[in-house]
Amino acid sequence: MHRRSFLRGTGGAIAGLTFAGNASAQNNGTIRIGSDIPYRPFEYRTKTGELVGFDVDIANAVFEGQLDRNYEFVQTSFDTIIPSLNNGNFRVIMSAMTITPERSNQVDFSDPYFTAYQTVLILKNSDITSLQDLKGETVAVQKGTTGEAAAQDLKKQFNGDLTIDSYDQIPGAFSALGNNQAAAVINDNTVNAEFAQQNDNVTFLKGTGAAQEQGKENAPPYLTLTVEEYGIAFRKNDDQLKNQVNDALSTIRDNGTYDELYNKYFQTPGGTTSG
């Protein structure tokens, strides 16, 4: 039986397990991975129901390839994913999660494994040509994400003159944009890029932003609101597994596996993409 599997439902589906019993079983058993699905191209299902994506392949390379451990993905909402981790519903989080100070107070993170940027997606026929044009408009985001945080920062810049509609999952935000219920979607660049590649009526808002200001190599040719790093999240004091995962991440970078997987999903090597 292949080591990779996927549990449908939410983290609550295994909430009946006690924290102590679950943690004990995980010491030598299957690694449960909490993830918000769909979030293409990091984790999503094909038409046949197979779970695929960059995070899924990285999990396979780390847990099966390097640590010789069984693993399975547990679908859970992103805005409750950290409490679900700390309640013992799964052992780690792999869900395109940005490392932030607030989150680091609640969980421990692996070494960064991906660089991302918050970006603004608009309709091609939109009157929005600059960030200032969003003043007085509605933007769509996903709940609990750094895209939502970036929108809240923008609202402060506009002295409150911005409406933020937060959706449980990112497809809801994209639908709002397509249905003219929102003037823009603020979200990770690679996820926005994946949607834009499949929908000819949307594009990135242009402009110079955080990536260029920080001198990032291969900075995207569109407006970036933030520069962020993704990490794998662990419960506090799960140091043995965290150290093993960090060693595994280092190994797959050194042996070329990371670049191979990166190039499978993105356009340029090194953890950034032009979208």
Side-chain angles (χ1 to χ4, degrees), residues 40-41 120-125 170-179 185 190-205 275:
R40 188 183 183 109
V120 182
L121 200 67
I122 58 173
L123 295 174
K124 284 185 177 178
N125 62 0
I170 197 61
F174 289 144
S175 293
L177 177 64
N179 294 330
V185 169
T190 46
V191 179
N192 275 352
E194 183 82 8
F195 183 76
Q197 288 167 7
Q198 298 178 16
N199 295 271
D200 291 338
N201 62 329
V202 299
T203 188
F204 282 99
L205 180 64

Side-chain angles (χ1 to χ4, degrees), residues 5-11 32-45 51-56 59 72-82 84-85 89-97 113 142 169 233:
S5 62
F6 171 56
L7 297 181
R8 289 194 170 190
T10 67
R32 291 185 170 91
I33 304 170
S35 193
D36 172 56
I37 304 162
Y39 201 67
R40 188 183 183 109
F42 290 92
E43 41 269 330
Y44 62 100
R45 283 175 282 181
L51 183 66
V52 297
F54 183 70
D55 277 347
V56 178
E72 57 194 8
F73 277 80
V74 181
Q75 182 170 325
T76 189
S77 297
F78 195 83
D79 60 336
T80 60
I81 201 167
I82 288 179
S84 292
L85 172 70
N89 289 344
F90 33 82
R91 185 88 181 261
V92 303
I93 296 170
M94 290 189 70
S95 193
M97 177 170 277
Y113 71 96
Q142 183 177 1
Q169 294 186 313

Side-chain angles (χ1 to χ4, degrees), residues 3 29 74 79-80 137 142 234 237 241 244 272:
R3 294 175 181 274
V74 181
D79 60 336
T80 60
E137 300 286 349
Q142 183 177 1
F234 304 81
N237 301 319
L241 182 61
Q244 290 173 343
T272 61

Side-chain angles (χ1 to χ4, degrees), residues 162-234:
L162 180 72
T163 300
I164 302 171
D165 285 348
S166 298
Y167 293 83
D168 289 334
Q169 294 186 313
I170 197 61
F174 289 144
S175 293
L177 177 64
N179 294 330
N180 289 303
Q181 296 171 311
V185 169
I186 297 179
N187 194 55
D188 295 0
N189 63 312
T190 46
V191 179
N192 275 352
E194 183 82 8
F195 183 76
Q197 288 167 7
Q198 298 178 16
N199 295 271
D200 291 338
N201 62 329
V202 299
T203 188
F204 282 99
L205 180 64
K206 305 299 182 183
T208 300
Q212 290 85 357
E213 290 168 2
Q214 294 186 26
K216 286 293 182 180
E217 186 178 357
N218 298 321
Y222 42 72
L223 180 67
T224 51
L225 302 179
T226 66
V227 178
E228 304 177 355
E229 301 285 351
Y230 291 169
I232 300 170
F234 304 81

